[in-house]
Amino acid sequence: MDLQHILQQKIQEVVLKEYEVELPAVEFQPTRKDFEGDVTVVVFPMLRFVKGNPVQIGERIGAFLKEEVDQVTDYNVVKGFLNLVISDAFYLRFFNTVKSEAQYGWVPQGPEAIMVEYSSPNTNKPLHLGHIRNNLLGYSVAEILKAAGKKVYKTQIINDRGIHICKSMLAWQRFGNGETPQSTGLKGDKLVGNYYVAFDKAYKEEVAEMTAKGMDGNLAEKEAPILQEAQQMLQRWEAGDTEVVDLWKKMNGWVYEGFELTYKNLGVDFDTLYYESDTYLLGKEFVREGLEKEVFFKKEDGSVWCDLTEEGLDEKIVLRSDGTAVYMTQDIGTAIQRVKDHPDINGMVYTVGNEQDYHFKVLFLILKKLGFSWAERLYHLSYGMVDLPSGKMKSREGTVVDADDLMAEMTRTAAEISEELGKLEEYTLEEKQELYQMIGLGALKYYILKVDPKKRILFNPEESVDFQGNTGPFIQYTYARIQSILRKADEMGIDHTAMVEVEQLHAKEKELLKQLQLFPETIQAAATNYSPALVANYIYELVKEFNSFYQQVSILGEVDETKRQFRVALSKKVGEVIKLGFGLLGIQVPVRM
RNA sequence: GGCCUCGUAGUUCAAUGGAUAGAAUAGAAGUUUCCUAAACUUUAGAUGCAAGUUCGAUUCUUGCCGAGGCUACCA
């Protein structure tokens, strides 16, 4: 039984004895640094049950606990806060039980499986900074859920179908002169993206020409020939026209090769993939079924809708009048397909930007209306957009921070800083390059993940991402220092594997142990809140605590052998937790830097 | 117009309804004969405005102000 339960039981016991009241639950919190103590009992909430002065009640409980509970060595009461001092022996016992746990903080996998969808780009343009946030969040949440005992399938829906890819295809046909990634040396996704921009340019020119001739702007936007041609292309595609399908396969293939490289550099992966082109038909099937069940209704023009006015929402289209599928159609199909493929799924997480909050609200509602039980367990992991000082990123207008470019630049900055410090003389070029990438990406990933997912991020490319302070490299650096200590400890022949039997803890050691103790509950909280930021903040606190300890306390230079062994073992454990925690964020840690 | 998010030091981020609102960065001042100074220590600086609920509100409710988004037969 853990300490909190013991304390709660004892507090309930003493309150019953002294005040003849049954107390439901007790509120605990870590004692704030400015006060003496380790665990704080908040007395205020008890006032609802116990009549009296909070300070007096605190005093009585404190005196009782000090008497009755071994681990409580002292107490003090400030206003309505009862601060308990917990014995060193308690923290040492805790350390001895976890010191050799390889995956401290992890919960064994249960039967429940969750599918986490992330990334899901359109296949007509390269990935940008917004996708990076998406990928990092999705990957990290998946890892956190695993650590919290869930079986996880990582997946993405590849939006390989639709008007957007037809635009790139059409532009390539018109202006491409048979260019390929091989012939141009461009990454496939970049090449295809260029044609998407080319389409937009041609389209705008046509619209401008038409309005110059006196046509209404809105009408021109609808009737521009190149757009109409793209729309016809989509219909030909849905009809299975071989010429269109072949081109579509070829150009999508280019894009996938490009994406693969970006994912590899970013360090994310997927267990299964879904293609919209495979699932939209299933979606259509369920639209038909929904019509029969009268979940949907048909308008005179043949388009199919779902009436959500009773739920306080609008009517939503699920099939166009020309019979082609819309976004919603394929999402219905995809969800159903996934559960068919993985019957153990008991929930899905969709990592998609908050601009689609409404879409997912509607999607989840429709799936419920269609009668799927698992529809109750869907979660939209909604995150804020990454905006530039100039506003929203728009691929068509070329105002994007490209994912590959940004990663390369972060690596370059890491290299510059590192070269300046010049600590890596013995490293080979490859080793250095690998390290620079680790640090550069660490900075970028931490920068993005430490922020609450809900919040919008304003990214200023002019001001580079920090490498000092509350940053990824700061934490990586601390890890590297710990590894250095461990290497030296090995050379000195210090045995840090034995049971720790020191008599008394240094204040800094105690703080570190308290922080270590919080790791498992941090993982749980991160899982229930789908928030990697909680893990990032936890690791930062741990690292700050360690650096302070490192500064004030001599580790290898300690003369007392048991203390020295303990400090080495403690450093090792802190290093392990840093590595585990950063692993949950998808960030690697170096043995030197 | 309706609906949804978000407003915290100059800037970037924290704070299950709890104590004197924490950090980082930029600013000022220090710490290398000693385990990696990408570090440590000290210093100054913030809850958009107004009510309400509460013993207690950055957190919950309402109104206003400000930023962004959705409200497409685009995805």
Side-chain angles (χ1 to χ4, degrees):
Chain A
M1 189 157 50
D2 69 45
L3 183 62
Q4 253 182 37
H5 283 105
I6 298 172
L7 290 176
Q8 167 146 331
Q9 235 172 48
K10 285 289 174 188
I11 291 169
Q12 284 167 334
E13 189 185 318
V14 64
V15 169
L16 187 62
K17 199 178 83 184
E18 297 271 332
Y19 301 95
E20 295 172 353
V21 180
E22 294 227 23
L23 210 55
V26 181
E27 194 179 317
F28 295 97
Q29 55 186 249
T31 303
R32 290 182 54 151
K33 292 254 168 63
D34 342 331
F35 301 92
E36 198 200 338
D38 303 302
V39 174
T40 295
V41 178
V42 189
V43 183
F44 290 112
M46 299 179 189
L47 295 179
R48 258 189 292 162
F49 308 94
V50 185
K51 297 277 173 276
N53 175 323
V55 177
Q56 277 171 10
I57 296 169
E59 288 284 349
R60 279 209 193 167
I61 295 174
F64 180 80
L65 291 177
K66 185 178 174 183
E67 194 64 33
E68 292 274 318
V69 182
D70 288 346
Q71 291 92 334
V72 178
T73 57
D74 207 353
Y75 73 94
N76 62 80
V77 179
V78 182
K79 295 183 191 169
F81 298 92
L82 167 60
N83 301 319
L84 303 173
V85 179
I86 305 301
S87 70
D88 291 355
F90 169 78
Y91 289 107
L92 282 165
R93 204 173 316 133
F94 152 74
F95 185 69
N96 278 319
T97 57
V98 302
K99 78 189 280 273
S100 51
E101 274 181 33
Q103 288 211 300
Y104 168 58
W106 261 236
V107 171
Q109 195 186 90
E112 202 175 318
I114 295 184
M115 183 165 264
V116 179
E117 175 196 298
Y118 63 97
S119 198
S120 305
N122 288 344
T123 59
N124 62 331
K125 51 181 187 264
L127 303 178
H128 58 62
L129 179 53
H131 296 110
I132 289 186
R133 187 177 197 187
N134 182 307
N135 275 277
L136 296 180
L137 263 177
Y139 177 86
S140 179
V141 165
E143 292 301 313
I144 288 167
L145 289 173
K146 278 190 212 169
K150 304 284 194 285
K151 181 175 180 183
V152 173
Y153 301 106
K154 291 184 266 192
T155 191
Q156 61 172 325
I157 177 77
I158 299 175
N159 302 302
D160 58 348
R161 180 205 80 87
I163 191 76
H164 53 91
I165 180 70
C166 289
K167 289 176 179 174
S168 288
M169 284 157 62
L170 185 59
W172 184 83
Q173 272 184 333
R174 284 217 189 160
F175 319 118
N177 300 320
E179 272 188 1
T180 66
Q182 288 74 29
S183 77
T184 56
L186 278 176
K187 243 169 119 248
D189 52 331
K190 298 272 158 52
L191 181 72
V192 173
N194 288 347
Y195 286 104
Y196 186 64
V197 175
F199 173 92
D200 197 60
K201 190 166 159 250
Y203 170 62
K204 282 198 173 131
E205 279 166 12
E206 283 187 0
V207 171
E209 222 170 277
M210 289 160 80
T211 46
K213 283 182 189 157
M215 190 185 270
D216 171 70
N218 288 333
L219 192 63
E221 279 176 19
K222 274 190 192 150
E223 300 212 333
I226 194 168
L227 179 67
Q228 296 208 326
E229 204 176 320
Q231 280 162 348
Q232 283 158 16
M233 202 179 220
L234 179 61
Q235 286 182 25
R236 279 166 71 197
W237 182 90
E238 283 210 18
D241 181 301
T242 26
E243 191 199 342
V244 174
V245 170
D246 285 348
L247 177 60
W248 172 80
K249 279 187 185 157
K250 177 161 78 179
M251 290 184 70
N252 269 333
W254 294 344
V255 173
Y256 299 151
E257 276 174 34
F259 283 174
E260 209 171 304
L261 192 62
T262 306
Y263 290 140
K264 189 168 161 271
N265 286 331
L266 196 56
V268 300
D269 55 19
F270 302 91
D271 300 311
T272 103
L273 298 180
Y274 284 87
Y275 295 88
E276 184 189 332
S277 57
D278 291 334
T279 58
Y280 82 102
L281 289 173
L282 187 66
K284 283 187 175 185
E285 217 171 275
F286 275 88
V287 168
R288 235 185 338 264
E289 207 177 299
L291 259 176
E292 280 165 25
K293 288 193 202 160
E294 296 185 353
V295 175
F296 306 134
F297 68 94
K298 200 175 236 174
K299 290 194 176 173
E300 292 112 40
D301 62 4
S303 56
V304 180
W305 298 72
C306 187
D307 184 0
L308 297 165
T309 45
E310 271 179 40
E311 284 82 4
L313 304 173
D314 293 329
E315 292 179 350
K316 187 76 190 176
I317 187 158
V318 291
L319 202 65
R320 290 195 191 98
S321 53
D322 64 5
T324 55
V326 292
Y327 184 31
M328 191 59 76
T329 324
Q330 63 98 358
D331 262 359
I332 294 170
T334 307
I336 295 167
Q337 187 66 49
R338 284 172 175 167
V339 178
K340 276 189 180 170
D341 293 345
H342 307 275
D344 57 346
I345 286 181
N346 190 20
M348 289 193 238
V349 175
Y350 290 84
T351 313
V352 184
N354 64 10
E355 56 189 357
Q356 295 190 34
D357 286 356
Y358 184 72
H359 172 81
F360 282 99
K361 215 186 218 176
V362 172
L363 174 66
F364 297 168
L365 255 173
I366 288 179
L367 287 167
K368 272 180 214 167
K369 279 174 171 267
L370 285 172
F372 296 105
S373 57
W374 43 263
E376 305 288 336
R377 322 214 29 163
L378 302 175
Y379 180 76
H380 175 204
L381 173 50
S382 164
Y383 61 89
M385 294 288 101
V386 185
D387 290 329
L388 304 174
S390 55
K392 208 175 167 175
M393 287 191 272
K394 290 206 176 93
S395 304
R396 275 173 307 191
E397 290 161 23
T399 56
V400 286
V401 175
D402 179 81
D404 299 315
D405 293 351
L406 181 59
M407 285 191 278
E409 187 172 328
M410 295 301 298
T411 304
R412 209 157 39 235
T413 310
E416 267 170 39
I417 295 173
S418 201
E419 296 287 346
E420 217 168 283
L421 294 171
K423 296 180 188 172
L424 301 163
E425 273 85 18
E426 311 89 279
Y427 267 38
T428 66
L429 272 180
E430 291 85 58
E431 284 172 332
K432 281 185 183 172
Q433 196 50 39
E434 198 184 323
L435 179 64
Y436 299 156
Q437 185 169 357
M438 197 188 282
I439 296 170
L441 276 177
L444 177 63
K445 291 182 177 183
Y446 187 85
Y447 174 80
I448 289 176
L449 288 177
K450 76 170 180 188
V451 182
D452 185 297
K454 278 202 305 282
K455 290 201 172 166
R456 171 170 173 252
I457 291 183
L458 195 69
F459 185 84
N460 189 347
E462 306 295 316
E463 298 165 20
S464 53
V465 174
D466 277 335
F467 284 70
Q468 267 155 13
N470 185 358
T471 67
F474 166 74
I475 289 161
Q476 289 172 321
Y477 173 70
T478 304
Y479 181 83
R481 258 183 174 180
I482 291 173
Q483 300 318 302
S484 171
I485 289 173
L486 295 179
R487 281 192 297 270
K488 293 209 163 112
D490 277 346
E491 282 168 26
M492 292 164 68
I494 298 172
D495 174 27
H496 50 260
T497 56
M499 284 280 283
V500 170
E501 280 163 15
V502 295
E503 296 285 310
Q504 221 188 352
L505 289 173
H506 187 280
K508 290 287 170 189
E509 294 167 343
K510 194 172 185 183
E511 286 305 318
L512 270 177
L513 289 172
K514 283 194 317 202
Q515 187 66 17
L516 282 176
Q517 216 182 10
L518 295 175
F519 189 46
E521 60 194 76
T522 302
I523 293 177
Q524 290 306 315
T528 41
N529 293 301
Y530 302 94
S531 176
L534 297 180
V535 175
N537 290 333
Y538 167 83
I539 295 294
Y540 177 63
E541 289 303 322
L542 178 68
V543 162
K544 261 176 66 93
E545 207 60 68
F546 181 82
N547 278 336
S548 181
F549 161 75
Y550 179 91
Q551 182 73 21
Q552 285 191 28
V553 179
S554 187
I555 299 167
L556 298 174
E558 170 59 44
V559 284
D560 182 305
E561 195 184 338
T562 32
K563 278 189 185 172
R564 190 170 60 215
Q565 286 173 353
F566 168 56
R567 285 174 189 169
V568 171
L570 180 59
S571 303
K572 179 163 181 268
K573 195 71 205 172
V574 170
E576 283 171 13
V577 170
I578 293 172
K579 188 173 185 172
L580 288 171
F582 257 33
L584 294 176
L585 303 179
I587 305 176
Q588 294 174 291
V589 283
V591 292
R592 289 187 52 182
M593 72 184 268

